[in-house]
Amino acid sequence: MERSTKPVYGGQAIVEGVMFGGKHTTVSTIRRKDGSLESFEVKRQSPVWISKAKKIPFIRGIAGIVEASINGSKHLNFSSDRYDVDPADDESIEPEEKSSKLNLILGVAAVAVLSFIFSKLIFTLVPTFIANLFTPIFPGHVAQNLLEGGFKLILLLGYIYILSFTPLIRKVFQYHGAEHKVINTFEAGLPLTVRNVQSQSRLHYRCGSSFILFTVIVGVGIYLFIPFDSLMERILQRIILIPVVLGVSFEVLQLTNRLRDIPVLKWLGYPGLALQLLTTKEPNDTQTEVAIASFEEMLTREQSYTTPAKADIV
């Protein structure tokens, strides 16, 4: 089957596991403290406005981010709560989990969206303040925008680099690599064996890491066309333009994915792939097994929701 005719699946690395999402559901699988595997499912039940917005160019990216933040945080919460708990203790903690389930779902969803907004504001405004300090040396509009973009890139790379030294985050980056390898194996039409998966690249054109980098590049391009007369005006512009930058960056990401098989144009996605050298690490075989199990479980559940009896489930 050609790659272009295959369903498009995405994923996310979590603590000691991987989450994969299809059209109808998202499934994560983690390795527990005793070495066993456990899966967790969150069905896609997005509000109507998100479903409609995901069909509109330049808006669909923002809707997708909101949905991914909510669903992804639920899976992260599951993995961080369960991976280091001895399965023998599951029964004793189950009543408490059940009593707080509704609050947990609502809380995680709210925190996910608010955390994304806060982090985006910090990532946008801090480089703006720093670049403004260099106005006496680099006073021009173009120079200031380029300087701001440079500081954003330094902040991004430095933050990821420092995080990579944390043992837990390093493992997450390994699972991130395993996630990409599984997707690449599936898109190549190969059986999902550890050997086949490990032979694939840990980089992928549709990765969220690439998206983050594109927000820096696209932001510089958009800001060049919008002059400002003061620091306050510059700050307000940056805040107002956050949705625009996100929407355009998502379309750029999709474009580079469509062009990745064209020799002359595939280099457009290379900056994002380069960043993935930091955000992904080579997984070991046991981590790859977890990723394969998660993907296969997602495929199984996806198929169950496309049968005539469950065709209305979205």
Side-chain angles (χ1 to χ4, degrees):
M1 182 182 295
E2 294 293 332
R3 177 165 56 193
S4 60
T5 63
K6 284 181 174 291
V8 176
Y9 298 117
Q12 176 183 326
I14 54 178
V15 181
E16 288 295 347
V18 178
M19 179 272 284
F20 285 104
K23 181 179 180 181
H24 302 283
T25 191
T26 57
V27 175
S28 59
T29 299
I30 62 171
R31 191 174 293 280
R32 299 292 299 276
K33 190 174 183 179
D34 65 344
S36 63
L37 300 182
E38 181 178 356
S39 294
F40 173 71
E41 178 184 22
V42 176
K43 296 177 183 177
R44 289 192 184 276
Q45 297 176 327
S46 302
V48 175
W49 73 267
I50 288 185
S51 299
K52 291 183 177 180
K54 287 174 65 177
K55 300 177 182 178
I56 305 173
F58 299 103
I59 295 179
R60 58 188 177 182
I62 300 173
I65 290 171
V66 173
E67 182 183 50
S69 297
I70 294 173
N71 287 337
S73 293
K74 293 176 183 177
H75 288 279
L76 276 171
N77 186 79
F78 157 74
S79 64
S80 60
D81 279 350
R82 305 286 285 177
Y83 83 98
D84 62 345
V85 176
D86 193 315
D89 297 330
D90 285 353
E91 189 172 333
S92 63
I93 65 175
E94 188 175 359
E96 181 180 350
E97 290 180 348
K98 287 182 177 179
S99 65
S100 62
K101 186 175 181 181
L102 179 60
N103 290 333
L104 174 64
I105 292 175
L106 295 176
V108 167
V111 169
V113 176
L114 291 175
S115 296
F116 174 79
I117 294 174
F118 180 75
S119 62
K120 185 58 184 172
L121 283 173
I122 294 297
F123 182 71
T124 299
L125 298 184
V126 169
T128 302
F129 280 108
I130 297 176
N132 187 72
L133 296 176
F134 289 84
T135 301
I137 304 175
F138 302 99
H141 177 70
V142 174
Q144 275 291 299
N145 279 316
L146 293 176
L147 194 62
E148 181 182 336
F151 283 129
K152 281 184 181 180
L153 187 59
I154 293 172
L155 180 63
L156 173 64
L157 297 179
Y159 178 69
I160 295 174
Y161 182 71
I162 293 173
L163 278 181
S164 67
F165 287 100
T166 306
L168 180 62
I169 298 301
R170 183 175 180 82
K171 277 190 174 183
V172 172
F173 285 177
Q174 286 180 291
Y175 279 108
H176 190 189
E179 173 223 327
H180 287 178
K181 283 174 174 280
V182 168
I183 293 291
N184 284 329
T185 305
F186 170 78
E187 292 181 343
L190 299 174
L192 291 174
T193 64
V194 172
R195 182 175 181 179
N196 286 341
V197 172
Q198 288 287 53
S199 69
Q200 297 296 310
S201 170
R202 73 177 199 261
L203 313 179
H204 197 283
Y205 274 77
R206 283 188 286 107
C207 177
S209 302
S210 297
F211 172 75
I212 294 173
L213 182 61
F214 284 139
T215 63
V216 176
I217 300 173
V218 169
V220 170
I222 291 176
Y223 300 154
L224 285 174
F225 294 96
I226 305 176
F228 53 85
D229 296 321
S230 65
L231 176 59
M232 183 57 63
E233 183 180 348
R234 185 178 184 178
I235 291 172
L236 291 176
Q237 285 178 3
R238 299 303 185 258
I239 295 175
I240 293 172
L241 288 172
I242 285 177
V244 178
V245 172
L246 293 176
V248 175
S249 299
F250 180 81
E251 300 304 323
V252 172
L253 179 68
Q254 297 301 307
L255 177 64
T256 60
N257 182 59
R258 290 194 295 269
L259 299 177
R260 62 176 168 164
D261 292 324
I262 301 176
V264 180
L265 299 177
K266 65 180 182 180
W267 61 269
L268 291 172
Y270 281 12
L273 296 179
L275 180 60
Q276 291 175 44
L277 294 174
L278 282 178
T279 62
T280 66
K281 301 295 181 185
E282 286 292 338
N284 57 41
D285 287 352
T286 57
Q287 291 168 326
T288 300
E289 289 173 353
V290 175
I292 293 173
S294 181
F295 190 76
E296 290 180 333
E297 180 68 18
M298 183 274 296
L299 289 180
T300 299
R301 301 199 186 201
E302 274 285 289
Q303 187 176 12
S304 72
Y305 296 136
T306 57
T307 58
K310 297 183 178 181
D312 59 334
I313 298 179
V314 291

